[in-house]
Amino acid sequence: MNRFSPFNAISLTLGFAFLYLPMIILVIYSFNDSKLVTVWAGFSTRWYGELLQNEAFLDAAWVTIRVAVASSTIATVLGTMAAYVLVRAGRFHGRTLFSGMIYAPLVMPEVITGLSLLLLFIGIGLDRGIVTIILAHTTFSMCYVSVVVSSRLVSFDRSLEEAALDLGCTPFEAFRLVTLPIIAPAVISGWLLAFTLSLDDLVIASFTAGPSATTLPIKIFSAVRLGVSPEINALSTLMIAVVTVGVITASLVSKRASVRQQAEEQAAVRA
């Protein structure tokens, strides 16, 4: 039975058009020579040149990259540790509370998360800046990493670890030499997801950012309130290009790692 009917084809086309057509239009108009974003006046790359000379956007982009790299790295380490505990530790006292605290940011509104973190930073006397944004982004992105890594650990064959332990490895060496390389695609995926969430966040960053640290989404939102300029189209196009390259690279790395893992497992079975 062929389930791909004309209705499904039309629905799929409309769905993809709704998702990607606005981005395609944005990319096209980033090369518009006119200052009016709705009037086409010819092909030009002048706005990319002016964007590279805009110190405010460049400073905000540098802050955003620093925050995204730092918060995603910390969130990946903590999320992987939390996932390992939830999957391997079994039942222990306080497990329900621990898992609830890990997964709470998944369902918590960002406004509540940002406001609570703001009150926390004010209460402990921590000045808002890059550090507070990193802590905030680590808090809400760690749960996403934990979910991704947990799904991989659940299907992990523990006999491989047991074989490493029987051959003389310590538990840490077994994790480092056997478990971590196998779950590496999930860890990398979690890092990329945390990086993307940090790069895109506006609500939580607006609560935890200070005058000395303005992220790119906050800067774009502030500029759009005064009207959309061609520089914003150019900046958005560059962000789309960076994310696209990152996703393609991660897919290729994950695919290569998966193929290598399957080859190693088949070699081990034949041996």
Side-chain angles (χ1 to χ4, degrees), residues 63 67 118 121 126-134 204-215 218:
V63 170
V67 169
L118 173 61
F121 296 145
L126 184 61
D127 294 334
R128 287 181 293 169
I130 295 180
V131 175
T132 55
I133 303 175
I134 292 174
I204 296 178
S206 63
F207 281 97
T208 57
S212 61
T214 302
T215 61
I218 296 177

Side-chain angles (χ1 to χ4, degrees), residues 100-123:
M101 293 176 64
I102 292 297
Y103 297 132
L106 287 171
V107 296
M108 189 73 65
E110 291 186 352
V111 174
I112 303 300
T113 302
L115 180 59
S116 60
L117 289 171
L118 173 61
L119 295 177
L120 173 64
F121 296 145
I122 293 176

Side-chain angles (χ1 to χ4, degrees), residues 22 28 55 77 98 103 121 147 151 155 199 212 264:
I28 293 175
E55 294 293 336
V77 175
F98 179 74
Y103 297 132
F121 296 145
V147 170
S151 62
S155 60
L199 199 69
S212 61
E264 292 176 352

Side-chain angles (χ1 to χ4, degrees), residues 18 26 68 80 112 117 134 161 169 178-179 189 198 203 211 229 255:
F18 178 78
L26 183 146
T80 302
I112 303 300
L117 289 171
I134 292 174
E161 280 187 355
C169 288
V178 177
T179 307
S189 299
S198 176
V203 178
S229 65
K255 183 178 180 180

Side-chain angles (χ1 to χ4, degrees), residues 171-220:
F172 178 75
E173 290 176 343
F175 175 81
R176 181 174 62 87
L177 299 175
V178 177
T179 307
L180 187 59
I182 293 177
I183 67 172
V187 175
I188 295 173
S189 299
W191 188 91
L192 289 172
L193 179 60
F195 182 85
T196 304
L197 291 172
S198 176
L199 199 69
D200 181 64
D201 176 67
L202 171 64
V203 178
I204 296 178
S206 63
F207 281 97
T208 57
S212 61
T214 302
T215 61
L216 198 55
I218 296 177
K219 188 64 180 178
I220 293 175

